[in-house]
Amino acid sequence: MYKKANLTGRFAPSPSGVMHLGNLSSYLLAWLDARSKDGKIILRIEDLDPDRCSKGYVKQLADDLRFLGLDWDNKLSDEYYQSSRTALYEDVFERLLKRDMLYPCYCSRSQRLAASAPHPGECTHDTGCRCRHLSLSERLELEKQGKRPAWKIHVPEKVIIFTDGHYGVINQNLADDGDFIIRRSDGVYAYQLAASFDDMDMGVDRVVRGRDLLSSTARQIWLISQLGGTPPEYCHAPLLLSKDGRKLSKRDGDLNILSLRQNHSSEEILGYLAAQLGLGDGTPVCAQKLLQTFDWSLVPNDDIIIK
Ligand code: GLU
């Protein structure tokens, strides 16, 4: 079996609600992936969006992960909260600005979403945005009208090829999704900047997460390379879908860990989840036991409708 010493994986939850089974499935796979290679795991709190995130959810999710035996290796000090890392993001922003890679964008559509990881179906770019081509006087005119810009990074026409640990070789043209937001107009840094920089800065070399973020991967690889870092390996996992084929979501109040904890032991929850992922037969099981037989080749590629 593939072993790599000192591998570092991560849990990167957004504390914007109670974890549902889909979040849990990504964390279980991230944990099994890292621990099966004697790796470390960082718990990083992606709480950039002050309107969506709360400390109460952080406490809850740390407690839920512990309850399930999914441990991590850092203390949850400020440096692992993205909301406390603004000075670092500012420095990256300045570096990119000096290299003339950024421009102000006065469109408003994608702004609201930029601080969170994009969910399927959410538009992450302003189609038809022509802010990159605004002249100085047009910019000044907009500023005079009181418009505060977001800042976008200009991406080149470039195909990024990488090998996903589960889905194999992927080709993504950066230009297909267009330029993306680095900082919102209210000064909040965007998910793409913060997650890329943090993975680099925290020495993460293996990112395991849901397949819905596969489409962000080329941008992150490119951004990390632009910042002089080495991108981690990425390994995406199938999504868990509700019976009507929808991706589970906090906002839709889908089956969450709190309801599960009311009626089930940690072993029962893990046994159930493992069965959905092809990693068990539904028998209650602890996380350590799942490690003994964990193998990515058992996990399907197609999304999983929960039974
Ligand atoms: N914070 C994101 C989420 O909870 C995950 C981002 C990532 O894994 O890159 O959806």
Side-chain angles (χ1 to χ4, degrees):
M1 192 184 180
Y2 167 68
K3 289 245 176 204
K4 183 176 163 195
N6 301 325
L7 172 145
T8 301
R10 42 81 148 177
F11 300 137
S14 299
S16 59
V18 176
M19 283 201 283
H20 56 65
L21 220 51
N23 305 126
L24 208 52
S25 134
S26 302
Y27 303 143
L28 175 62
L29 287 169
W31 185 87
L32 290 169
D33 181 78
R35 296 303 193 212
S36 65
K37 301 179 181 85
D38 293 331
K40 271 194 347 182
I41 301 193
I42 286 173
L43 171 58
R44 175 174 82 225
I45 307 299
E46 301 211 326
D47 59 345
L48 286 171
D49 192 338
D51 299 331
R52 284 188 174 181
C53 299
S54 95
K55 282 264 186 322
Y57 287 130
V58 177
K59 239 179 118 214
Q60 183 62 49
L61 70 89
D63 187 67
D64 292 332
L65 289 171
R66 270 190 220 106
F67 168 76
L68 294 165
L70 306 182
D71 60 342
W72 62 93
D73 299 296
N74 56 304
K75 258 184 70 186
L76 253 191
S77 49
D78 277 359
E79 64 192 299
Y80 293 98
Y81 283 78
Q82 289 189 327
S83 58
S84 302
R85 295 172 62 79
T86 311
L88 295 166
Y89 306 144
E90 200 165 306
D91 183 58
V92 175
F93 179 85
E94 293 299 330
R95 274 158 62 194
L96 296 171
L97 194 63
K98 272 201 194 106
R99 286 166 59 187
D100 212 15
M101 294 173 75
L102 307 183
Y103 63 90
C105 168
Y106 299 86
C107 303
S108 55
R109 256 188 86 200
S110 52
Q111 283 247 43
R112 191 175 57 78
L113 304 169
S116 308
H119 293 272
E122 282 180 348
C123 178
T124 58
H125 57 285
D126 292 286
T127 34
C129 164
R130 52 173 295 275
C131 293
R132 191 160 70 84
H133 307 290
L134 292 176
S135 66
L136 187 60
S137 62
E138 285 172 313
R139 283 180 190 174
L140 289 173
E141 180 53 37
L142 286 161
E143 305 264 338
K144 227 167 61 197
Q145 292 167 16
K147 295 226 173 185
R148 292 199 46 214
W151 286 82
K152 273 187 178 170
I153 190 160
H154 178 48
V155 298
E157 183 79 40
K158 181 177 166 71
V159 177
I160 303 281
I161 304 174
F162 60 95
T163 303
D164 183 86
H166 193 52
Y167 289 98
V169 178
I170 310 275
N171 286 267
Q172 283 172 355
N173 188 344
L174 283 173
D176 283 352
D177 274 327
D179 298 346
F180 58 94
I181 293 189
I182 287 289
R183 198 175 81 181
R184 297 195 320 196
S185 61
D186 60 3
V188 171
Y189 284 96
Y191 159 74
Q192 303 292 359
L193 174 95
S196 309
F197 174 74
D198 285 349
D199 283 336
M200 180 178 106
D201 188 57
M202 295 177 178
V204 170
D205 40 29
R206 184 96 174 155
V207 169
V208 176
R209 60 187 180 188
R211 193 183 61 79
D212 49 338
L213 290 170
L214 191 55
S215 58
S216 291
T217 305
R219 296 167 171 203
Q220 296 177 1
I221 290 175
W222 176 72
L223 200 48
I224 291 173
S225 314
Q226 291 301 313
L227 296 172
T230 306
E233 286 172 358
Y234 294 87
C235 192
H236 289 84
L239 303 179
L240 294 194
L241 306 179
S242 64
K243 291 198 171 60
D244 56 4
R246 230 181 354 93
K247 184 192 169 230
L248 301 185
S249 108
K250 290 176 193 159
R251 277 172 268 176
D252 291 330
D254 278 314
L255 197 57
N256 72 47
I257 178 82
L258 285 189
S259 351
L260 289 169
R261 279 181 72 169
Q262 274 170 10
N263 302 310
H264 301 283
S265 67
S266 135
E267 283 80 5
E268 282 170 345
I269 299 172
L270 286 179
Y272 170 72
L273 192 55
Q276 311 297 315
L277 292 169
L279 300 173
D281 58 7
T283 313
V285 65
C286 69
Q288 289 294 338
K289 188 87 196 288
L290 277 175
L291 262 187
Q292 294 166 14
T293 49
F294 173 63
D295 186 340
W296 268 108
S297 69
L298 300 171
V299 178
N301 280 11
D302 290 341
D303 291 343
I304 299 162
I305 297 186
I306 49 170
K307 290 178 212 70

